[in-house]
Each structure stands twice: as C-alpha cells, then as structure tokens.
Amino acid sequence: MADVPVLVCTSGTLQGQVFHVPEGGLNLGRANENDIVILDDGVSRYHARLLYDGGSLWLQDAGSRNGVFVNGHRVTDHRALKVGDVVGLAEHTFAVRWQADLEDEPTDPRDDETTEAPVKESRKPWYWPF
C-alpha cells in the first residue's frame, strides 16, 4: 500500500479516531458539510482545509475565529505539513502520520482506543485552496 497521510486525533471528543487524507484533501469544521465534523464550540463552521496533492500535504486556515495551530504556532495563511506535526483546532489536536506506520505498530487486543473514522465523500471544496 502506498503511503497515505492520516490524522490521528490525540485530544478532544474525536480522540483515538484516524482520518485518511485522500488526494484532494479534507475540510474540517463544525458544519455537517465538512469531511471531518468537529463538534466543539471553539471550532468554526468552516475552520480549515487539508490539501493533499502530489505527495505534499498542506494546511490552510479558512478564516476561523480561533485559528489553526501547527506545533503550537498559529497558521495565518497556509503551511506545508510533515509527518510528526501536531495540528490544533480549539480543544482538538491531530497528529500527522503515515498509514503504513500505523499498520506497522504492534497492537494489543485489549487496546481498542484507535478506531477508523468514516470520512464523508468529498464534494467540491467550499473555497478555493490557496
């Protein structure tokens, strides 16, 4: 399997869920139209967008009120992401990983904390990326 970037939610109500980032990317926010719906009062209806194209992963703030953070630094426009980065939206944090790395990790059958989260089929982006 080719390397596919994933977001692993490490804190917040979605903690433990894994989200694949398909070619074309994902929309994140509180509105149901987003690919990843985050029900958190600190998250805007249309908070951020991840764009995955040609092996590069980018994060863009969609004009959110509370901002998007990478490794503790606010992203005001867009920023390239790499494996190991931590993305923060209000009370939620997401670790950027490779799908293949998750498959290589030893699993403990008693530890059912990480679950595969369904991602909605992407529609047209709700704004132009960059």
Side-chain angles (χ1 to χ4, degrees):
M1 174 181 203
D3 277 342
V4 175
V6 295
L7 294 179
V8 178
C9 188
T10 57
S11 69
T13 58
L14 301 176
Q15 184 172 355
Q17 294 188 35
V18 177
F19 301 93
H20 291 86
V21 182
E23 283 287 330
L26 296 171
N27 298 317
L28 297 90
R30 210 175 62 241
N32 286 330
E33 294 83 22
N34 290 293
D35 301 301
I36 300 176
V37 178
I38 304 171
L39 300 177
D40 181 334
D41 290 338
V43 175
S44 298
R45 290 181 311 134
Y46 302 100
H47 201 98
R49 169 133 176 97
L50 283 172
L51 179 65
Y52 180 53
D53 186 39
S56 296
L57 184 62
W58 293 85
L59 174 71
Q60 181 181 27
D61 188 327
S64 66
R65 179 173 295 221
N66 294 325
V68 179
F69 297 82
V70 174
N71 302 327
H73 301 283
R74 189 168 186 161
V75 174
T76 56
D77 190 10
H78 62 275
R79 178 176 171 166
L81 295 177
K82 62 186 182 315
V83 170
D85 283 342
V86 176
V87 177
L89 290 83
E91 299 296 321
H92 287 74
T93 56
F94 298 88
V96 179
R97 307 281 301 275
W98 288 116
Q99 173 64 39
D101 292 341
L102 294 179
E103 292 169 356
D104 292 341
E105 290 179 358
T107 57
D108 182 346
R110 296 170 292 168
D111 184 18
D112 195 18
E113 207 172 291
T114 303
T115 58
E116 197 76 24
V119 174
K120 295 180 184 177
E121 198 62 37
S122 285
R123 295 183 213 125
K124 284 184 170 181
W126 34 264
Y127 61 91
W128 288 104
F130 322 133

